[in-house]
């Protein structure tokens, strides 16, 4: 009979000198000090969610939980580093054994130890996006897919499709039907590529980022001994931004938590805005059903916004039916300034109002870096970028490149540049490189043929480009598309006369570029909207040379391209999509384009999908709760949609849902006098 021997470890010294009662409010303390078990912490915007997680880790360490038994799952490496750094500042215990990081990084650590159990070696490579595209391109070539008549989706688009399948659990048919209907005829070939891609990754001992989750779950499900090892290790699991978990991440949490491990999930259902990339809010809404006996803690004290902004935010989100009931309360005194509702005549007037008000606020002592302009889609920042540039107000963009520096804007502009300047080799090559089957060598040959024509060295414009360009030797794969390009050039300068910029852009989009957009970009609809906005901007120009000159000037600051880099000034306004602004805050927020069809998005309104509309409303809520002191809600009453004509816009239904007594309506007029019919 075996002898039993008990190992007595010395009790560790208390990990911190934190006075939890004094440093936390009652709601935070209740969550932080809760006994082991299953718990959901609903932490409203600006309520100290990160602080709660940090103090929970410190509490566990103070109560004799070893760091090696704690797992902290986050959605960004930055969040993980920040939390661990702040924990180390507060506790004396060595925290190096604590596992903290993104789902992907934790999956990587587990797979590095057990990859051989699922057919890989522990030295597997992790494919970044460029590596993934290269591997997919090789697989596409090996599949011998005939793409001569119609474009096949490029590797970047396929990578996104495959990622959606993995992260949502949907079939390829479902993903194509709901998000990429124009690729439905390629379903069989896409599935062949997907199968070939999986085999290629295995033979090259490589994993992409989705594999780090999918294969971790596969390992835990198929190897009970490995699962048991990590269940014993991670006795306390903490999850940040729980509302953003997808089906794979949720399954990973369920497996590691098992039946007995302590689990604390922290999140806010009202800020669930990422369903388009696989996040499933049902995980947070059904937490108590999936974990019977679990507790729910609500942290509703907001330290960010004044009461006037919070009252409006609470009213806005209360319309949603799929939600966990809560009301944020401000810890701050009221300022006596209600959120402003500002209806402007058109997009350029809206931009002028925003810029002028910014300068006034700066004169009142609010620095520019404490101001932000938020919008639903990146193209909605066009007029704002133009106005700020003209007024010399420095700005930085978190939602992407400056409008005129984006690749698709430069692509369509290349057509206009070439017909205007027939010696423009860069624009000619950029234009023809968009065609399938034409690489740098092919572009050079076509350029050489162009130089042999009589029009290459003369100012005279051909009456019909197609009369002689159709005779150029384009590659067979590009023949059909080259023909269409030639006919499109005819439309840009009918009978040798340049058309108006907006008409030229429309011809390029519909004649050549729309198909290229679908094939090349996973955010096709957003990029098409950008070009439609450019067409609208072009309506104010009759002369194409003047239009192109403005594009060049607006595409750079002080003559130097800025891309998405921060302006050289330390003090600069932030322009951001609402998705990119989540987690950030400013003293003053301008929320623009609040018109139906713009926000909420028109495609969502057409779909008549209540769940999608509720997510749009949550996005509206996120935008409102970014503001600390002042909030301006604006929309243009008229949207000049160029070739489709002007559109009279009604205010967003989200504004209609807000009680009138919570908003102050501003009536903006021009300096020459007030006019009800012609604001500002």
């Amino acid at each position: 009979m075996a002898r039993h021997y008990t190992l007595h470890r010395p009790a560790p010294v208390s990990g911190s000198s934190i006075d939890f009662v004094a440093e936390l409010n009652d709601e935070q303390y209740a969550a932080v000090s809760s006994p082991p078990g299953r718990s959901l912490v609903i932490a409203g915007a600006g309520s100290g969610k990160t602080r709660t997680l940090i103090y929970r880790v410190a509490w566990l360490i103070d109560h004799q939980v070893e760091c090696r038994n704690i797992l902290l799952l986050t959605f960004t490496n930055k969040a993980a580093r920040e939390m661990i750094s702040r924990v180390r500042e507060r506790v004396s215990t060595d925290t190096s054994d604590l596992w903290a990081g993104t789902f992907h990084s934790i999956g990587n650590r587990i797979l590095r130890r057990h990859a051989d159990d699922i057919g890989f070696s522990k030295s597997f490579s992790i494919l970044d996006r460029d590596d993934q595209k290269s591997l997919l391109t090789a697989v596409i070539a090996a599949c011998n897919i005939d793409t001569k008549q119609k474009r096949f989706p490029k590797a970047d688009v396929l990578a996104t499709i495959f990622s959606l399948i993995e992260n949502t659990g949907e079939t390829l048919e479902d993903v194509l039907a709901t998000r990429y209907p124009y690729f439905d005829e390629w379903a069989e070939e896409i599935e062949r590529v997907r199968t070939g891609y999986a085999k290629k990754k295995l033979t090259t001992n490589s994993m992409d980022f989705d594999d780090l989750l999918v294969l971790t779950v596969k390992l835990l499900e198929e190897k009970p001994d490995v699962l048991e090892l990590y269940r014993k290790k991670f006795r306390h699991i903490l999850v940040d931004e729980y509302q953003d978990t997808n089906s794979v991440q949720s399954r990973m949490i369920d497996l590691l938590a098992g039946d007995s491990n302590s689990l604390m999930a922290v999140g806010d259902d009202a800020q669930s805005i990422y369903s388009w990339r696989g996040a499933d809010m049902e995980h947070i809404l059904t937490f108590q059903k999936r974990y019977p006996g679990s507790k729910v803690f609500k942290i509703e004290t907001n330290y960010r916004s004044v009461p006037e902004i919070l009252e409006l935010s609470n009213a806005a989100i209360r319309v949603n039916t799929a939600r966990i009931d809560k009301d944020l309360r401000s810890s701050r005194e009221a300022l006596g300034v209600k959120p402003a509702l500002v209806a402007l005549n058109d997009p350029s007037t809206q931009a002028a109002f925003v810029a002028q008000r910014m300068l006034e606020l700066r004169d009142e002592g609010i620095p520019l870096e404490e101001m932000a302009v938020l919008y639903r889609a990146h193209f909605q920042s066009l007029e704002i970028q133009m106005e700020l540039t003209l007024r010399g107000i420095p700005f930085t963009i978190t939602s992407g490149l400056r409008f005129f520096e984006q690749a698709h804007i430069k692509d369509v502009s290349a057509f206009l540049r070439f017909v205007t300047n027939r010696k423009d080799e860069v624009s000619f090559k950029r234009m023809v490189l968009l065609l399938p089957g034409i690489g740098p060598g092919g572009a050079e040959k076509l350029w050489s043929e162009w130089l042999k024509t009589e029009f290459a060295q003369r100012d005279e414009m051909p009456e019909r480009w197609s009369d002689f360009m159709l005779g150029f030797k384009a590659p067979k794969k590009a023949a059909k598309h080259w023909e269409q390009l030639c006919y499109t050039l005819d439309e840009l300068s009918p009978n040798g006369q340049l058309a108006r910029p907006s008409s030229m852009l429309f011809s390029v989009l519909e004649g050549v570029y729309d198909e290229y957009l679908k094939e090349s970009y996973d955010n096709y609809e957003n990029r098409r909207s950008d070009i439609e906005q450019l067409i609208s901007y072009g309506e104010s120009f009759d002369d194409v040379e003047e239009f192109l000159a403005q594009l060049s000037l607006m595409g750079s600051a002080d003559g130097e391209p800025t891309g998405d880099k921060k302006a050289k000034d330390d003090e600069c306004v932030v322009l951001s999509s609402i998705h990119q602004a989540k987690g950030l805050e400013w003293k003053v927020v301008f929320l623009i384009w609040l018109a139906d069809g713009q926000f909420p998005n028109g495609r969502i309104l057409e779909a008549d999908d209540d769940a999608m509309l509720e997510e749009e409303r949550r996005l509206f809520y996120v935008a409102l709760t970014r503001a600390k002191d002042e909030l301006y809600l604006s929309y243009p009453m008229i949207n000049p949609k160029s070739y489709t004509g002007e559109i009279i816009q009604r205010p967003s239904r989200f504004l209609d849902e807000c009680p009138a007594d919570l908003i102050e309506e501003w009536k903006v007029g021009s300096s020459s006098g007030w006019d009800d019919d012609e604001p500002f």
Side-chain angles (χ1 to χ4, degrees):
M1 183 175 179
R3 178 183 296 186
H4 290 276
Y5 181 83
T6 303
L7 184 64
H8 298 283
R9 295 182 182 272
V13 180
S14 179
S16 77
S17 57
I18 298 174
D19 184 339
F20 290 92
V21 174
E23 297 187 30
L24 299 171
N25 66 32
D26 292 344
E27 297 166 336
Q28 293 169 337
Y29 181 76
V32 166
S33 63
S34 61
R38 311 302 175 87
S39 59
L40 175 65
V41 180
I42 300 299
S47 66
K49 169 182 67 68
T50 301
R51 184 181 182 84
T52 301
L53 275 170
I54 291 166
Y55 276 68
R56 176 62 174 180
V57 173
W59 175 274
L60 292 174
I61 293 172
D62 269 11
H63 288 75
Q64 318 309 320
V65 174
E66 295 186 44
C67 287
R68 63 189 180 90
N69 294 136
I70 300 174
L71 171 63
L72 174 58
L73 290 165
T74 66
F75 273 83
T76 67
N77 289 311
K78 179 182 177 183
R81 288 194 298 268
E82 178 188 354
M83 290 183 194
I84 293 304
S85 175
R86 289 171 62 179
V87 168
R88 286 172 179 163
E89 290 174 359
R90 304 307 306 270
V91 302
S92 58
T93 304
D94 179 11
T95 60
S96 58
D97 284 343
L98 190 155
W99 279 41
T102 64
F103 285 86
H104 294 87
S105 66
I106 298 300
N108 175 57
R109 290 184 68 175
I110 293 174
L111 291 170
R112 290 292 176 193
R113 300 181 177 193
H114 308 281
D116 49 356
D117 286 332
I118 52 173
F120 290 81
S121 76
K122 298 174 184 178
S123 60
F124 63 83
S125 300
I126 299 176
L127 304 170
D128 63 19
R129 192 65 165 191
D130 285 339
D131 299 330
Q132 193 177 11
K133 287 160 59 177
S134 297
L135 203 63
L136 276 168
T137 299
V139 172
I140 293 169
C143 288
N144 295 316
I145 298 171
D146 182 10
T147 61
K148 292 180 181 178
Q149 297 304 312
K150 191 170 178 62
R151 293 178 186 265
F152 188 70
K154 288 189 176 179
D156 208 18
V157 179
L158 290 174
T160 299
I161 291 173
F162 298 160
S163 181
L164 284 168
I165 292 171
E166 299 292 0
N167 289 303
T168 63
E170 296 178 4
T171 64
L172 171 62
E173 289 72 19
D174 289 339
V175 170
L176 293 182
T178 57
R179 308 186 193 221
Y180 301 91
Y182 38 86
F183 289 141
D184 185 61
E185 63 185 287
W186 288 114
E188 183 179 337
E189 289 81 0
I190 292 174
E191 184 58 45
R192 281 169 51 202
V193 172
R194 182 169 173 245
T195 301
Y197 176 55
K199 291 179 180 177
K200 192 75 170 177
K201 287 187 291 184
L202 189 59
T203 58
T204 59
N205 195 38
S206 303
M207 299 184 192
D208 59 32
F209 283 102
D210 292 321
D211 291 327
L212 297 178
L213 298 181
V214 173
L215 294 180
T216 298
V217 168
K218 175 183 172 69
L219 171 71
L220 297 176
E221 288 180 334
E222 296 182 357
K223 303 295 178 180
D225 55 329
V226 176
L227 175 60
E228 186 61 23
L229 172 70
Y230 286 100
R231 280 182 175 173
K232 287 182 177 179
K233 178 176 178 57
F234 300 134
R235 293 299 189 185
H236 295 268
I237 301 171
L238 308 176
V239 185
D240 187 22
E241 303 286 11
Y242 187 70
Q243 77 280 351
D244 293 334
T245 54
N246 61 34
S247 60
V248 186
Q249 291 160 334
S250 177
R251 179 60 179 154
M252 181 175 168
I253 294 168
D254 291 346
L255 286 166
L256 292 173
D259 295 326
S260 58
N261 282 343
S262 179
L263 170 63
M264 176 175 284
V266 181
D268 182 7
D269 59 294
Q271 297 187 71
S272 179
I273 57 175
Y274 295 112
S275 68
W276 49 274
R277 67 184 187 194
D280 188 350
M281 194 178 70
E282 283 300 305
H283 298 149
I284 196 168
L285 294 180
T286 62
F287 186 89
Q288 286 186 287
K289 290 182 180 179
R290 291 186 299 108
Y291 295 103
S294 58
K295 297 180 180 179
V296 175
F297 299 93
K298 295 180 183 180
I299 304 179
E300 299 171 291
T301 302
N302 176 285
Y303 294 93
R304 175 187 299 154
S305 305
V306 293
E308 294 91 338
I309 291 174
L310 284 188
E311 288 174 10
L312 178 64
S313 304
N314 287 331
I317 198 62
R318 205 174 286 130
V319 180
N320 275 6
T321 57
R323 58 185 291 266
I324 296 172
D325 188 50
K326 67 177 179 301
D327 275 307
L328 294 182
R329 302 179 303 274
S330 179
S331 64
R332 301 178 56 192
E333 294 293 325
L335 290 181
V337 179
K338 293 181 181 179
L341 174 59
V342 192
L344 288 312
N345 191 50
D346 52 39
S348 62
T349 309
Q350 177 178 242
F353 166 76
V354 170
Q356 179 175 311
R357 187 65 187 133
M358 283 178 172
L359 293 175
E360 292 169 350
L361 290 167
R362 187 186 187 191
D363 289 343
E364 293 172 14
I366 300 175
L368 291 178
E369 66 263 25
E370 282 289 352
M371 304 180 204
V373 182
L374 304 184
Y375 35 81
R376 174 64 177 83
H378 185 52
F379 73 85
Q380 294 169 342
S381 69
L382 169 59
E383 291 83 9
I384 297 290
Q385 292 185 45
M386 292 166 51
E387 189 69 26
L388 295 181
T389 300
L390 291 172
R391 296 196 186 212
I393 301 174
F395 63 91
T396 183
I397 303 174
T398 66
S399 55
L401 297 174
R402 289 180 182 246
F403 187 87
F404 297 109
E405 293 175 353
Q406 299 175 104
H408 51 294
I409 299 299
K410 289 186 173 183
D411 286 344
V412 294
S413 300
F415 287 79
L416 279 64
R417 293 183 188 279
F418 174 65
V419 297
T420 305
N421 174 15
R422 273 80 63 195
K423 297 178 182 179
D424 189 341
E425 179 180 353
V426 172
S427 293
F428 178 91
K429 289 181 176 178
R430 184 175 192 120
M431 182 175 68
V432 300
L433 282 170
L434 299 174
L435 306 184
I438 296 182
E444 181 63 40
K445 289 178 181 178
L446 289 168
W447 175 248
S448 296
E449 290 202 59
W450 165 250
L451 290 178
K452 297 174 185 177
T453 68
E454 60 179 305
F455 299 102
Q457 305 300 328
R458 292 163 46 184
D459 289 335
E460 185 181 353
M461 180 124 21
E463 290 193 9
R464 285 181 56 85
W465 300 81
S466 57
D467 284 346
F468 58 94
M469 289 184 70
L470 286 175
F472 290 7
K473 295 179 181 178
K476 288 184 179 179
K477 185 177 181 180
K480 177 184 175 183
H481 303 281
W482 174 254
E483 179 181 334
Q484 182 58 54
L485 182 146
C486 294
Y487 290 137
T488 297
L489 292 179
D490 288 343
E491 294 182 21
L492 303 191
S493 55
N495 301 316
Q497 300 297 316
L498 291 170
R500 297 185 72 243
S502 57
S503 298
M504 296 171 80
L505 290 167
F506 178 69
S507 293
V508 173
L509 176 60
E510 296 300 330
V512 178
Y513 201 66
D514 187 68
E515 189 177 352
Y516 173 82
L517 274 180
K518 289 176 180 176
E519 170 207 27
S520 304
Y521 297 110
D522 55 6
N523 58 346
Y524 155 73
E525 290 173 335
N526 290 340
R527 291 181 186 256
R528 182 181 169 98
S529 294
D530 284 348
I531 296 171
E532 290 176 347
Q533 194 73 2
L534 182 65
I535 294 172
S536 176
Y537 172 59
E539 273 292 292
S540 58
F541 294 86
D542 292 318
D543 184 87
V544 68
E545 292 180 352
E546 182 186 352
F547 172 74
L548 291 172
Q550 285 299 313
L551 258 61
S552 297
L553 293 172
M554 294 300 297
S556 64
D558 298 326
E560 295 181 5
T562 59
D564 58 353
K565 297 178 182 177
K566 190 172 182 178
K568 294 179 181 178
D569 307 65
D570 291 333
E571 187 187 9
C572 57
V573 173
V574 174
L575 308 187
S576 177
S577 69
I578 303 169
H579 284 101
Q580 291 291 330
K582 185 173 177 291
L584 304 177
E585 60 184 36
W586 296 271
K587 285 184 179 296
V588 180
V589 167
F590 295 87
L591 180 54
I592 62 174
W593 280 97
L594 280 168
D596 252 16
Q598 300 290 338
F599 191 14
N601 181 277
R603 293 189 300 276
I604 289 174
L605 296 181
E606 292 172 5
D608 195 25
D609 186 315
D610 290 341
M612 293 171 66
L613 183 60
E614 291 210 349
E615 177 157 338
E616 286 285 285
R617 192 175 287 109
R618 292 194 295 273
L619 193 62
F620 179 58
Y621 171 82
V622 167
L624 300 182
T625 54
R626 299 311 94 198
K628 294 194 283 188
D629 298 344
E630 295 188 40
L631 177 63
Y632 296 86
L633 312 171
S634 68
Y635 69 95
M637 294 182 288
I638 297 175
N639 183 17
K641 290 290 287 186
S642 64
Y643 56 92
T644 58
E646 287 188 347
I647 295 177
I648 298 176
Q649 300 190 136
R650 65 180 301 276
S652 169
R653 60 194 62 198
F654 299 153
L655 293 174
D656 290 342
E657 294 164 354
C658 296
D661 62 330
L662 299 182
I663 300 175
E664 180 181 38
E665 189 173 352
W666 284 33
K667 195 170 185 179
V668 179
S670 67
S671 58
S672 60
W674 294 95
D675 190 318
D676 291 341
D677 297 324
E678 296 183 5
F680 201 32

